[in-house]
């Protein structure tokens, strides 16, 4: 990967160019257009010289019309090639970033949950949107523009030497000054642009988190505090950009001054020679003035284009850093789980989110097909972790998890997860219709199927009361629905997927009585006849479970039915029941 201050990373650039292979014809056409423009660029000054020396000075009007016609034709060709060059260079850039963005998004959807536990959403959004968009400028304004400029400069320099080596030496004497200034400028801007990208990512991350958590900000009256924090981050962002403006403010006046000095020397030396009837003509002087400007202009612009190229390379470096991330669940299973019986077994399973810190400590238990198992325990006991491990969101450290007697690692990930439906405590809904949030755009699940399922589990009445019914847009994260309503949508989403195994992180503590009753009804309907694991928060669910697993500090400390566990003197479940559930039962 590119290092800070490094002028150019050819290895990274070569890797990026590999994405143009699918558009090879367009790539070569743009390169050809760049060559054509460099040739056409020297024809205008050449014919301008001949026009002055062969028609204007001798006052030959017929020849003047002839040369003007030729220059007009050259200009038309130049305009056509420039149009094709700009259009197809930008088209190529957009095509490349489309492919790159698709590759990145596909990869990000396959990452372990552990990757997202450690990665800021704002930064990932910046990589997938802003940085990839910046990469397109490598092709539209960087690579091909620089190539075209270099070819044009080479053609101009060769033509100048051919016409007059004396005038050429005057122009070339100024080149080292501009080249050195360009080199220093380009190195400084590389570092400056890396800082800009860092600050953009920080800004995006801060804004996204605060907007997402705006309710917390306002509940605790943190508006002024967050405003001041934002001011500091924004100030750093401004300073990073001002540094790039500072470098531009120094470089471009130096380049302009050097160009003016070269033109002045051309007029002085060439004018004296022409006045003394030397070999330098008036047309040659005018042609060299234009050629010198054409030579220096790309030099001044090439620095700016190098900035664009460098900014694109910095962005590419960040994007490839994600593409190179090895954070995938190994999907080497070959067994397709078409329809599971739902028999689950954990054998001596150990797991920790952080190395050397186990949250699941040598757990073993089994769930029979069609059985409902409730898991209870204090916060942090490891209840939700069991859900994550069964779905292979995380890889276990040791032990084995079996479904229908087969290790879950032997199943393909898609078939495994398609047979396990999860209703989480914190329900996530997309900014879309209720129907699309239920089907998740699965074409195999029709609206008729969803409506029938809604009636079966008793949630159709609630959906019909909403404007538009199943077409009602719930907005971002389901903001237009109550927590109980979101929970009901999640139940219906799980139910229509017809899973063999159902996992419920039952969350009814913060919902109203009406919603809770519907959720209890939906729970009974949805768990009937299928293997269910329920992280229980309500006594009603626990009482109806075939088996209760009691967890503490990552271990299963007790197993049994509600009645069996209550009989244990000083048992963990009995103490939990007396503290948490007895009051509920009395009510």
């Amino acid at each position: 990967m590119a290092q800070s201050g490094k002028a150019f990373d050819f290895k990274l650039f070569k890797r990026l160019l590999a994405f143009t292979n699918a558009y090879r014809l367009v790539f070569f056409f743009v390169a050809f257009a760049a060559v054509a423009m460099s040739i056409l660029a020297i024809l205008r000054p050449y014919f301008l010289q001949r026009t002055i020396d062969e028609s204007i000075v001798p006052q030959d009007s017929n020849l003047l019309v002839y040369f003007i016609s030729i220059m007009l034709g050259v200009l038309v060709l130049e305009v056509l090639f420039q149009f094709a060059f700009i259009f197809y260079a930008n088209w190529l850039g957009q095509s490349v970033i489309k492919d790159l963005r698709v590759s990145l998004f596909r990869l990000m959807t396959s990452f372990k949950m552990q990757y997202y536990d450690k990665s800021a959403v704002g930064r990932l959004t910046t990589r997938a949107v802003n940085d990839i968009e910046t990469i397109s400028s490598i092709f539209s304004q960087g690579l091909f523009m620089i190539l075209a400029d270099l070819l044009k400069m080479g053609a101009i320099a060769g033509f100048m030497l051919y016409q007059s080596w004396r005038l050429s030496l005057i122009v070339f004497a100024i080149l080292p000054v501009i080249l050195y200034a360009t080199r220093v400028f380009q190195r400084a801007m590389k570092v400056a642009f890396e800082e800009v990208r860092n600050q953009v990512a920080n800004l995006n991350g801060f804004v996204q988190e605060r907007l997402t958590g705006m309710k917390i900000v306002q509940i605790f009256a943190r508006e002024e505090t967050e405003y001041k924090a934002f001011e500091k981050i924004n100030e750093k962002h401004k300073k990073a950009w001002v540094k790039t403006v500072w470098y531009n403010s120094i470089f471009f006046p130096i380049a302009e001054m050097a160009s003016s000095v070269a033109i002045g020397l051309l007029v002085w030396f060439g004018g004296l020679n022409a006045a003394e009837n030397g070999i330098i003509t008036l047309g040659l002087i005018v042609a060299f003035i234009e050629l010198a400007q054409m030579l220096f202009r790309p030099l001044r612009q090439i620095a700016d284009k190098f900035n664009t190229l460098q900014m694109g390379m910095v962005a590419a470096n960040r994007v490839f850093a994600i593409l190179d991330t090895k954070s995938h669940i190994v999907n080497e299973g070959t067994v397709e789980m078409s329809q599971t019986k739902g028999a689950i077994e954990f054998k001596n399973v150990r797991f920790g989110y952080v190395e050397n810190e186990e949250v699941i400590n040598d757990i073993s238990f089994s769930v029979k097909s069609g059985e409902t198992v409730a898991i209870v325990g204090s916060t942090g006991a490891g209840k939700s972790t069991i859900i994550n491990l069964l779905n292979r969101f995380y890889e276990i450290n040791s032990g084995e998890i079996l479904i229908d007697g087969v290790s879950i690692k032997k199943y393909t990930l898609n078939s495994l997860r398609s047979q396990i439906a999860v209703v989480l405590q914190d329900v996530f809904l997309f900014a879309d219709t209720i129907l699309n949030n239920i089907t998740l755009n699965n074409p195999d699940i029709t609206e008729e199927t969803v409506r029938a399922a809604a009636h079966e589990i008793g949630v159709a009445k609630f959906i019909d009361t909403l404007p538009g019914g199943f077409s009602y847009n719930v907005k971002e994260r389901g903001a237009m629905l109550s927590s109980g309503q979101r929970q009901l949508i999640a139940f219906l989403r799980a139910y229509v997927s017809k899973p063999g195994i159902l996992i419920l992180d039952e969350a009814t503590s913060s919902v109203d009585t009406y919603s809770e009753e519907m959720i209890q009804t939906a729970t009974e309907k949805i768990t009937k006849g299928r293997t269910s694991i329920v992280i229980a928060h309500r006594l009603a669910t626990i009482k109806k479970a075939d088996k209760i697993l009691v967890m503490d500090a990552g271990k299963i400390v007790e197993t049994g039915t509600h009645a069996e566990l209550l009989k244990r003197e000083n048992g963990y479940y009995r103490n939990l029941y007396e503290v948490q559930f007895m009051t509920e039962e009395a009510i």
Side-chain angles (χ1 to χ4, degrees), residues 455-475:
H455 282 284
E456 285 175 29
I457 66 172
V459 300
K461 186 177 179 181
F462 133 66
I463 296 175
D464 289 337
T465 62
L466 298 172
F470 283 92
S471 298
Y472 181 66
N473 193 308
V474 301
K475 304 301 180 184

Side-chain angles (χ1 to χ4, degrees), residues 35-107:
V35 174
M37 286 194 302
S38 66
I39 296 171
L40 291 169
I42 62 174
L43 290 180
R44 282 190 293 110
Y46 170 71
F47 283 110
L48 178 61
Q49 174 193 344
R50 291 191 61 183
T51 301
I52 294 171
D53 290 340
E54 297 178 26
S55 64
I56 294 177
V57 174
Q59 298 181 352
D60 188 336
S61 59
N62 291 329
L63 205 54
L64 178 63
V65 172
Y66 170 73
F67 281 125
I68 288 175
S69 300
I70 291 177
M71 284 193 290
L72 183 61
V74 170
L75 182 63
V76 170
L77 282 173
E78 201 170 357
V79 167
L80 289 174
F81 272 107
Q82 195 164 20
F83 164 77
F85 176 81
I86 293 171
F87 176 81
Y88 284 107
N90 280 274
W91 182 91
L92 181 64
Q94 290 300 317
S95 298
V96 167
I97 66 166
K98 179 206 70 175
D99 295 344
L100 193 58
R101 189 175 279 128
V102 167
S103 298
L104 182 65
F105 186 78
R106 180 182 293 275
L107 186 75

Side-chain angles (χ1 to χ4, degrees), residues 374-377 383 504 506 534-538 541-542 580-581:
I375 305 177
V376 299
K383 304 185 297 295
L504 303 179
E506 196 181 34
V534 183
I535 295 178
H537 300 278
R538 281 289 181 266
T541 307
I542 297 170
Q580 183 175 339
F581 299 127

Side-chain angles (χ1 to χ4, degrees), residues 206 210 224-234:
F206 183 90
R210 270 58 185 183
E224 190 63 27
T225 303
E226 297 300 336
Y227 171 74
K228 289 177 180 178
F230 178 76
E231 271 194 325
K232 290 179 182 178
I233 292 175
N234 205 27

Side-chain angles (χ1 to χ4, degrees), residues 8 36 104 153 178 213 217 235 250 310 338 351 361 368 408 426 442 523 542 579:
F8 197 77
L104 182 65
M153 289 166 62
I178 298 179
V217 172
E235 180 65 23
I250 294 174
Q310 292 286 18
S338 56
F351 170 76
N361 189 353
K368 295 177 182 178
I408 59 173
D426 182 19
N442 184 344
T523 302
I542 297 170
V579 173

Side-chain angles (χ1 to χ4, degrees), residues 435 438-439 442-453 470 496:
L435 180 64
I438 293 168
T439 65
N442 184 344
D444 296 330
I445 303 175
T446 64
E447 184 174 346
E448 290 72 24
T449 302
V450 174
R451 288 183 180 277
F470 283 92
V496 297

Side-chain angles (χ1 to χ4, degrees), residues 342-362:
I344 302 169
E345 186 175 5
F346 275 57
K347 287 185 177 180
N348 306 112
V349 174
R350 292 180 179 272
F351 170 76
Y353 293 101
V354 181
E355 193 174 353
N356 300 323
E357 291 184 22
E358 289 187 344
V359 294
I360 294 295
N361 189 353
D362 197 27

